[in-house]
Amino acid sequence: MSFPLLTATAVLPALGAIATAAVPAARRNAAKWLALGVSLATLVLAVIVLVRFDPDGDRYQLTESHAWIADFGVRYELGVDGIGVALVALTALLIPFIILAGWHDADPLETGNTRWRPTQGFFALILAVEAMVIISFEATDVFLFYIFFEAMLIPMYFLIGGFGDRAHEHGEETASTQRSYAAVKFLLYNLVGGLIMLAAVIGLYVVAGNFSLQEIAEARANGSLEMATSTERWLFLGFFFAFAVKAPLWPLHTWLPNAMGEATTPVAVLITAVVDKVGTFAMLRFCLQLFPEASKWATPAILVLALISIIYGALLAVGQRDIKRLVAYASISHFGFIIMGIFAMTSQGQSGATLYMVNHGISTAALMLVAGFLISRRGSRLIADYGGVQKVAPVLAGTFLIGGLATLSLPGLAPFVSEFLVLVGTFARYPVIGIIATVGIVLAALYVLVLYQRTMTGPVKAEVEGMPDLRARELVVVAPLIVLLIFLGVFPKPLTDIVDPAVEHTMSDVQKKDPQPEVEAAK
Amino acid sequence: MENLIALLVAAPLLGAAVLLCGGRRLDAVGHLIGTALAAASFVIGVVLFADMVGKDAEHREMGQHLFSWIPVEGFQADVAFQLDQLSMTFVLLITGVGSLIHVYSIGYMEHDERRRRFFGYLNLFLAAMLLLVLADNYLLLYVGWEGVGLASYLLIGFWQHKPSAATAAKKAFLVNRVGDVGLSIAIMLMFTTFGTFAFGPVLEATGETGEGKLTAIALMLLLAACGKSAQVPLQSWLGDAMEGPTPVSALIHAATMVTAGVYLIVRSADIFNGSPDAQLVTTVVGAVTLLFGAIVGCAKDDIKKALAGSTMSQIGYMVLAAGLGPIGYVFAIMHLVTHGFFKAGLFLGAGSVMHGMNDEVDMRKYGGLRKYMPVTFVTFGLGYLAIIGFPGLSGFFSKDKIIEAAFAKGGTEGWILGSVALLGAAITAYYMTRVMLMTFFGEERWRSRPTASPAEPSVEPAAEHHGEHAEPHPHESPRVMTIPMIVLAVGSVFGGAYFSLGDRFIHWLEPVTEHAHGHPPISALTVTAATVAVMVIGVGLAWLQYGRGPVPVAAPRGSLLTRAARRDLLQDDFNHVVLVRGGEHLTRSLVYVDHTLVDGVVNGTAATMGGLSGRLRRVQNGYARSYAVSMFGGAAILIAVTLLMRAV
Amino acid sequence: MNPVNYLYLASLLFTIGATGVLIRRNAIVVFMCVELMLNACNLALVAFSRMHGNLDGQIIAFFTMVVAAAEVVVGLAIIVSLFRSRHSASVDDASLMKL
């Protein structure tokens, strides 16, 4: 038996989490370095996975399969296709930056407040989340996926509720209340989604007799597993609901602004760039493969919801006064694009959606982390508290602008490629929806530029004066992300080559063909 | 030879990267690097041009395929360049005028501490514009298209500490984005119709689809062109864009940015040719804009804004010509090139005036400057003569041809368009003469006055006076600034004649754009005579108003039209009331709805559950023994039930 | 001897233990009563094993002993630390097991 590479990518951060938590309190810095080292080692493993993955080979590669709970047909089955491998790589890539960006976020507070802030816990929890997210991207057993899909909530809950921005307008007391509110809201929303999914998972077992994604999908495809139309639809809705909460899709989105607003910026990045991707990924992998007919049945409704998400999220982003909440609403708009691309059921749409997941992870991380550096300098999340930062901290402002431009999908940066693919893919099948969605492009420019104008330009505010520019550590976090944004914007071929075959498989699962261009169709 | 094409773009792009990432170390040499790389691009352009001229007209098109950009099933986008006569014309204009503006900026921005960054942005601008005109497919063109938008955003807002500059930059980007949506929809339509969006296949396949599709694509392209080229209804950003440093205005108006729309239309000629409806709309847009811009130009006291109005109007001519189809394409581009010369010259002249006048832009505070700035006066004057179409200078040749072509459109349309174009020529002569007279002739209104002139009791707001405490000392600009102006003036004088003699320009572009000779209902000579006549009328009117008597320092109230024109014909007010205010209300109410309604439903459910659990919670009193009782009780009940079930 | 008698004894012991848990206040006594219940169960299990003629019951009895030993360790530790902090071993003084 070959070396279980996929298991290793998940086990390594899990062990790292335990080890980090076990570091004695006095050696706080050792814990940080340990966590960083583990996350980098995981990145190396992920790169090996990426290299070993053959885009033209089997659909699922590097598979592992072991009996687990034999009585219920639950197996420990891992395997990655092009989509999974891209997202595993994204996760492994972002975690070191998140750890580095949050280097001081969990330090004990200085005198005056003796509340214990468990530094080790913070980093251990991040690694735990990484392990669970990675295994969710790799699991090809529905039950195995479900377990980690849910278990992820626990460390996330503590990360949101336990650690906040270090300084806050209204004092530690209010901040802590708001934090727990946000954390509980996050937990409840996702638990409800997960519960409904659990029912659907059990239902699936009753119908199919096992949990193996590949077996069920195969049986569905060759007709040996019949499902009554209504059963399939109910099961689909059960799965989709959980993923739509996680993604989040309008109107199940309200937990995200709270959670992202109250959590520390690295954790906010973790939520939107990594954890939420499990939701959209699972739509692509589980909803479409397990329930192709029901997916097609639900497509119009989902596309409308996605469209509402795009425009609604963008409009609310325009109206926000809080930088982090603004980014949160912008993310809701972007998730609308991703979901639209998935359910447009065209090669371009789904390739675009997958690229979008990766690119959105990188661009939001860049924008949000720079925003976090900005917030940590002034101790306020309100846009109105800034002004003229560009004059005192040009590098910070420049990186912030690039992050913003990526968010508004400027051509030449990575998100443009994915956004355009999603739009083209949607337009090819649903022209009206595609055209309305382009309004989102204009609105994105509006919220990004308004944010930039209000914080970075204009006369220098008194509180902003003397604000230090980006430090070396912060630059190390931001610069690679920006390089990656530019590289994937100019030359996304390596990524599309990996993703494309996987999308073709999914397209054949739902038995959809791309619409022919009019001219060729006429011939 | 083909391999040089990428270098055209790469040189300024490298400059931008080096200057923007280089940090303070490069402050001392930044402007030299930027200028050198812009000039390098020009040199490469000239080499390619020489090579192209040496070939047959039929074999002049070159291409270079760099790499596959977005390869997705059924969707191919490449990074590939195409260099034909049309692109070549633009390349030379962009890099040539662009390099001159670089040189000029060395002097103009000398005292700005962020000069290095300024040159980085200028290089970025050139690179984006070159990418736009060299791309061989619409998606890559779109990259350049938005790149130009970004560069203009950075440059218009270069003095970011001024809120007005930051706002103007944002506005320019946003209005352009609306146009960009048009372009992206056009590309999507091409993709679903033709399965590709590369120039060659798309333009060849236009015959295979219906007119409806072509009209839709053409109109979307027109929307895009309106955004970039500041045509009605997306023209509002251009005036505000004057917040940027003056060389930027010259660059935007002459060499880059606003010409992109005309390029797009001419490049997509086959699509427009296939749709008479779209062509009609294009001509109407052009005609409306040329009047609109001219009227706005008449009312502005800010020298740069008056010139901005004139740009809008001149681009209107080009769009009008491009809408006329094969009879107009060549002239649209010819006017674009001559306009590039004289408009760049005019803007650099305006910058030179401002440079000597403590950055004052109000023409009412100029006057009599010809004595103090002779070089600026002469170059500006030549540019002025060129733009009003003085016989023999370059504007005369190109504008006259457009007016002729407009008449040649035929029928009532032809008459209407031709008359509008003639009327525009008259107004152009009027407002440009006004600019000229107010700036270089008349009394020296910039000298400190004991009080405001007695005829005009001072009603100006105090804010306008802040710059006046120091009386300006008008002086000629340094040579690094005047030389580019002189070069451009030479171009403005001789460019048109050179292009027109022996129909050189027509033969040059014909293989790309096709050309048909229009047959105006009246003889070409009559048109020319009429053009000259209306020009003389325009100049005369302006002289009557501004040349004979003194110019009041404070603007008179003016008629309703004047006041409206001063406010850009109320377009901004409309935008403000409908879009800005409306948008604010919409977002605010949505934020409220999100908080109360969407969130409220969920929170309501949570509150109900909370109340319920509050009741249940009393059972939990925390005493271990009471828990034990409930355990035993439960166990007893379970056992009892089991036994009972057995019994039954 | 009839193994059923052992079952009677076991249920008697269990009842005594349960009553003790419910009515005594001293945590140590409560604790010992819990042990009494556990051992009553053990007795019953062994008796079952004898009655059915296989070893399953005995095996489970061993499990129970091990778990009981572990439980004693944890339980006593809790009681001791409670006593330290409150100077009382009365179970009625502690009502911390609620939010």
Side-chain angles (χ1 to χ4, degrees):
Chain A
M1 201 181 81
S2 60
F3 179 71
L5 198 54
L6 292 185
T7 306
T9 53
V11 166
L12 184 66
L15 290 178
I18 296 168
T20 310
V23 173
R27 316 273 322 263
R28 193 174 299 113
N29 281 322
K32 293 178 183 176
W33 285 106
L34 179 65
L36 183 62
V38 168
S39 65
L40 286 174
T42 313
L43 177 59
V44 171
L45 280 181
V47 170
I48 296 174
V49 170
L50 203 58
V51 172
R52 293 270 297 275
F53 183 82
D54 172 19
D56 303 318
D58 292 342
R59 176 166 192 180
Y60 292 102
Q61 298 182 20
L62 305 167
T63 47
E64 294 166 32
S65 182
H66 305 282
W68 184 21
I69 310 176
D71 287 349
F72 297 108
V74 178
R75 295 181 66 82
Y76 177 79
E77 273 190 347
L78 300 182
V80 282
D81 59 357
I83 302 170
V85 103
L87 289 169
V88 168
L90 171 76
T91 310
L93 174 80
L94 286 180
I95 298 290
F97 294 118
I98 288 172
I99 288 177
L100 208 54
W103 205 246
H104 296 301
D105 280 358
D107 283 354
L109 292 176
E110 292 81 17
T111 48
N113 191 334
T114 50
R115 230 171 67 101
W116 182 61
R117 292 175 57 110
T119 312
Q120 298 90 331
F122 183 73
F123 293 102
L125 287 171
I126 290 180
L127 287 178
V129 172
E130 177 179 23
M132 292 176 188
V133 169
I134 286 183
I135 211 160
S136 316
F137 287 140
E138 292 168 349
T140 53
D141 184 281
V142 179
F143 194 81
L144 184 67
F145 170 83
Y146 173 76
I147 288 176
F148 287 101
F149 182 77
E150 283 297 281
M152 211 182 293
L153 300 180
I154 300 162
M156 280 315 299
Y157 170 79
F158 287 111
L159 277 173
I160 298 171
F163 307 88
D165 282 330
R166 307 207 52 190
H168 199 276
E169 297 299 279
H170 315 291
E172 182 58 27
E173 204 60 27
T174 342
S176 151
T177 322
Q178 286 178 355
R179 266 210 304 281
S180 6
Y181 172 75
V184 169
K185 196 166 174 181
F186 162 82
L187 192 68
L188 284 180
Y189 264 82
N190 284 285
L191 272 181
V192 170
L195 219 61
I196 292 173
M197 183 181 164
L198 177 63
V201 169
I202 295 170
L204 181 70
Y205 177 69
V206 171
V207 178
N210 66 40
F211 288 110
S212 167
L213 173 72
Q214 278 169 277
E215 271 179 45
I216 299 177
E218 214 165 280
R220 298 281 292 143
N222 63 25
S224 62
L225 174 60
E226 293 284 330
M227 270 191 212
T229 313
S230 64
T231 320
E232 187 185 347
R233 288 179 183 174
W234 279 113
L235 291 180
F236 168 83
L237 287 179
F239 276 78
F240 183 79
F241 184 78
F243 304 149
V245 169
K246 187 79 107 195
L249 182 68
W250 187 90
L252 305 169
H253 64 276
T254 51
W255 64 268
L256 186 71
N258 283 79
M260 277 180 73
E262 298 306 325
T264 60
T265 13
V267 173
V269 172
L270 191 65
I271 297 172
T272 182
V274 177
V275 172
D276 285 352
K277 295 296 177 327
V278 182
T280 44
F281 165 79
M283 287 180 196
L284 199 49
R285 170 162 289 178
F286 294 100
C287 284
L288 294 194
Q289 289 192 33
L290 293 175
F291 317 107
E293 292 308 315
S295 301
K296 282 186 253 181
W297 161 74
T299 295
I302 294 172
L303 282 179
V304 169
L305 287 181
L307 191 61
I308 294 176
S309 276
I310 292 171
I311 292 172
Y312 185 88
L315 278 174
L316 266 100
V318 175
Q320 292 304 311
R321 300 192 182 121
D322 175 326
I323 300 175
K324 286 162 86 178
R325 289 178 68 96
L326 189 151
V327 181
Y329 278 107
S331 286
I332 291 169
S333 177
H334 290 143
F335 278 110
F337 273 110
I338 298 176
I339 295 171
M340 193 170 86
I342 293 173
F343 282 90
M345 310 259 184
T346 53
S347 311
Q348 299 90 35
Q350 292 188 346
S351 296
T354 311
L355 293 187
Y356 212 128
M357 289 185 223
V358 176
N359 294 338
H360 172 256
I362 303 172
S363 71
T364 309
L367 181 67
M368 193 72 173
L369 291 177
V370 180
F373 300 148
L374 181 71
I375 290 167
S376 70
R377 280 162 168 69
R378 166 81 171 79
S380 163
R381 305 191 324 234
L382 296 180
I383 295 170
D385 284 346
Y386 297 89
V389 175
Q390 195 273 337
K391 190 104 180 152
V392 288
V395 180
L396 193 153
T399 48
F400 192 68
L401 182 63
I402 296 177
L405 291 175
T407 304
L408 65 77
S409 300
L410 189 85
L413 297 173
F416 167 75
V417 176
S418 40
E419 190 163 299
F420 197 81
L421 282 174
V422 165
L423 283 172
V424 160
T426 311
F427 184 85
R429 212 183 282 282
Y430 306 95
V432 178
I433 289 182
I435 288 176
I436 299 176
T438 55
V439 176
I441 302 182
V442 179
L443 289 174
L446 186 61
Y447 61 69
V448 168
L449 294 185
V450 167
L451 173 65
Y452 184 79
Q453 186 191 358
R454 295 205 179 137
T455 51
M456 298 296 168
T457 70
V460 181
K461 283 217 172 173
E463 298 89 343
V464 170
E465 235 162 289
M467 184 181 269
D469 213 332
L470 285 190
R471 299 182 182 92
R473 169 180 64 88
E474 295 165 334
L475 213 54
V476 167
V477 172
V478 179
L481 292 176
I482 287 176
V483 170
L484 213 56
L485 280 175
I486 294 173
F487 178 77
L488 287 179
V490 176
F491 193 59
K493 193 167 181 299
L495 202 54
T496 52
D497 281 351
I498 292 177
V499 168
D500 223 21
V503 167
E504 290 314 303
H505 281 297
T506 315
M507 287 288 291
S508 68
D509 279 338
V510 290
Q511 286 152 11
K512 279 266 188 181
K513 282 220 166 56
D514 285 331
Q516 283 277 308
E518 191 192 299
V519 171
E520 276 171 40
K523 277 177 190 168
Chain B
M1 254 322 145
E2 284 84 11
N3 296 336
L4 284 178
I5 301 177
L7 280 181
L8 278 174
V9 185
L13 196 61
L14 175 76
V18 167
L19 293 178
L20 294 179
C21 305
R24 301 237 157 83
R25 275 158 291 162
L26 291 177
D27 271 354
V29 291
H31 52 282
L32 297 179
I33 298 177
T35 311
L37 283 166
S41 191
F42 178 63
V43 171
I44 299 168
V46 170
V47 170
L48 284 167
F49 176 69
D51 178 62
M52 187 182 270
V53 171
K55 292 182 191 166
D56 289 348
E58 301 305 315
H59 302 98
R60 283 179 173 168
E61 191 179 321
M62 287 188 258
Q64 182 185 10
H65 185 272
L66 279 190
F67 55 87
S68 171
W69 181 28
I70 313 178
V72 170
E73 183 70 24
F75 181 97
Q76 270 297 330
D78 293 332
V79 177
F81 299 124
Q82 170 190 359
L83 184 69
D84 57 9
Q85 290 92 325
L86 181 61
S87 307
M88 194 72 235
T89 312
F90 272 88
V91 165
L92 290 179
L93 176 72
I94 295 163
T95 54
V97 177
S99 303
L100 288 175
I101 292 172
H102 272 75
V103 173
Y104 177 91
S105 305
I106 294 178
Y108 191 84
M109 300 298 284
E110 193 174 359
H111 304 295
D112 198 298
E113 55 178 358
R114 290 160 70 231
R115 181 164 67 161
R116 168 181 57 85
R117 197 181 276 240
F118 182 78
F119 276 86
Y121 293 158
L122 283 187
N123 274 354
L124 182 65
F125 211 149
L126 288 194
M129 193 66 198
L130 286 169
L131 184 63
L132 197 163
V133 297
L134 287 172
D136 93 327
N137 62 67
Y138 282 97
L139 198 65
L140 192 61
L141 178 145
Y142 188 55
V143 176
W145 192 263
E146 285 235 338
V148 167
L150 168 69
S152 68
Y153 170 78
L154 294 169
L155 283 169
I156 294 170
F158 185 72
W159 286 320
Q160 288 182 324
H161 51 90
K162 285 200 300 189
S164 57
T167 309
K170 180 184 72 184
K171 185 172 172 186
F173 195 93
L174 278 177
V175 174
N176 269 298
R177 261 263 147 151
V178 176
D180 297 349
V181 164
L183 184 53
S184 62
I185 293 177
I187 298 175
M188 294 194 267
L189 270 168
M190 286 175 203
F191 178 71
T192 54
T193 313
F194 306 113
T196 173
F197 34 76
F199 289 146
V202 166
L203 298 177
E204 271 162 31
T206 45
E208 293 170 37
T209 185
E211 197 185 312
K213 267 278 163 60
L214 287 181
T215 306
I217 297 175
L219 287 179
M220 284 298 124
L221 290 174
L222 179 65
L223 176 65
C226 283
K228 261 316 160 242
S229 291
Q231 300 293 297
V232 174
L234 297 178
Q235 86 293 0
S236 67
W237 63 272
L238 193 70
D240 291 7
M242 292 302 120
E243 288 291 340
T246 311
V248 174
S249 312
L251 199 55
I252 289 179
H253 289 245
T256 59
M257 189 100 179
V258 291
T259 56
V262 182
Y263 172 79
L264 184 68
I265 296 176
V266 176
R267 175 58 80 196
S268 316
D270 288 337
I271 296 175
F272 280 84
N273 290 346
S275 164
D277 293 342
Q279 283 188 321
L280 182 64
V281 177
T282 311
T283 51
V284 170
V285 166
V288 169
T289 311
L290 86 86
L291 283 185
F292 187 107
I295 292 171
V296 169
C298 290
K300 291 286 183 187
D301 287 336
D302 179 328
I303 184 168
K304 286 173 73 181
K305 291 202 169 160
L307 289 178
S310 107
T311 302
M312 210 188 276
S313 164
Q314 299 301 315
I315 304 279
Y317 273 108
M318 299 170 210
V319 171
L320 168 64
L324 293 173
I327 56 171
Y329 292 133
V330 173
F331 301 128
I333 300 298
M334 190 161 115
H335 193 52
L336 194 151
V337 174
T338 55
H339 174 258
F341 283 122
F342 54 70
K343 188 49 68 65
L346 288 171
F347 263 111
L348 295 188
S352 173
V353 170
M354 287 162 57
H355 196 71
M357 295 290 289
N358 292 352
D359 287 330
E360 177 61 73
V361 290
D362 189 349
M363 292 189 291
R364 291 184 183 277
K365 302 199 176 92
Y366 291 167
L369 292 175
R370 65 180 184 283
K371 277 180 288 188
Y372 303 92
M373 312 179 169
V375 182
T376 307
F377 168 63
V378 171
T379 53
F380 195 92
L382 289 173
Y384 154 75
L385 290 177
I387 195 174
I388 65 172
F390 192 81
L393 275 72
S394 56
F396 167 76
F397 290 103
S398 49
K399 199 189 284 177
D400 184 50
K401 291 277 193 244
I402 292 180
I403 296 173
E404 224 172 89
F407 276 114
K409 165 107 172 149
T412 335
E413 285 162 40
W415 280 103
I416 295 174
L417 293 173
S419 321
V420 167
L422 265 183
L423 181 60
I427 307 179
T428 308
Y430 170 78
Y431 67 76
M432 283 312 297
T433 311
R434 174 174 175 268
V435 169
M436 197 69 196
L437 290 173
M438 283 174 90
T439 308
F440 291 102
F441 294 88
E443 61 176 312
E444 297 167 357
R445 293 182 301 277
W446 38 271
R447 293 209 182 276
S448 293
R449 303 171 301 277
T451 49
S453 61
E456 247 337 284
S458 178
V459 284
E460 287 169 81
E464 288 189 12
H465 284 284
H466 65 93
E468 276 185 24
H469 50 81
E471 184 178 317
H473 299 286
H475 55 84
E476 188 52 86
S477 300
R479 200 159 302 158
V480 71
M481 288 166 70
T482 50
I483 288 176
M485 286 153 60
I486 295 168
V487 175
L488 288 169
V490 171
S492 328
V493 174
F494 299 111
Y498 179 78
F499 291 149
S500 292
L501 280 181
D503 287 341
R504 267 202 195 101
F505 206 75
I506 295 175
H507 292 313
W508 166 248
L509 274 185
E510 209 175 3
V512 185
T513 59
E514 299 176 42
H515 180 71
H517 272 287
H519 299 288
I522 39 181
S523 78
L525 209 62
T526 322
V527 175
T528 310
T531 314
V532 175
V534 295
M535 180 202 80
V536 171
I537 294 173
V539 172
L541 276 176
W543 185 78
L544 283 178
Q545 207 172 344
Y546 295 95
R548 272 191 327 178
V551 179
V553 174
R557 208 171 126 72
S559 68
L560 207 59
L561 180 66
T562 318
R563 271 178 286 153
R566 246 177 238 147
R567 310 195 56 164
D568 296 326
L569 293 179
L570 305 181
Q571 155 95 22
D572 276 339
D573 303 74
F574 174 82
N575 281 355
H576 187 74
V577 171
V578 177
L579 297 178
V580 179
R581 285 279 172 75
E584 272 172 8
H585 284 299
L586 178 66
T587 52
R588 265 197 221 130
S589 43
L590 271 181
V591 170
Y592 180 76
V593 165
D594 196 55
H595 197 71
T596 48
L597 214 69
V598 183
D599 221 12
V601 171
V602 180
N603 283 351
T605 325
T608 322
M609 298 296 280
L612 202 65
S613 54
R615 302 260 162 74
L616 284 172
R617 185 170 149 179
R618 292 204 196 123
V619 180
Q620 314 249 71
N621 55 13
Y623 292 106
R625 276 195 294 177
S626 76
Y627 296 152
V629 169
S630 47
M631 265 167 63
F632 285 125
I637 290 170
L638 273 179
I639 291 168
V641 168
T642 323
L643 288 177
L644 275 175
M645 297 291 276
R646 276 270 175 83
V648 176
Chain C
M1 202 160 71
N2 187 359
V4 178
N5 289 339
Y6 292 106
L7 289 185
Y8 290 137
L9 177 61
S11 45
L12 194 65
L13 286 172
F14 190 88
T15 316
I16 292 169
T19 320
V21 167
L22 290 182
I23 64 173
R24 295 304 295 259
R25 285 194 186 147
N26 191 313
I28 303 281
V29 178
V30 170
F31 197 63
M32 288 172 73
C33 292
V34 171
E35 290 300 311
L36 198 59
M37 286 158 70
L38 275 172
N39 281 313
C41 295
N42 272 346
L43 187 58
L45 283 167
V46 174
F48 287 141
S49 173
R50 180 77 182 204
M51 284 163 76
H52 296 298
N54 62 20
L55 288 176
D56 290 359
Q58 292 193 28
I59 292 169
I60 293 178
F62 277 116
F63 269 114
T64 317
M65 278 184 211
V66 174
V67 172
E71 180 241 322
V72 167
V73 173
V74 177
L76 274 178
I78 293 175
I79 292 170
V80 168
S81 69
L82 259 183
F83 184 78
R84 278 213 188 125
S85 63
R86 300 179 174 265
H87 302 291
S88 143
S90 167
V91 287
D92 286 358
D93 288 349
S95 61
L96 298 172
M97 279 164 60
K98 63 176 180 186
L99 274 172

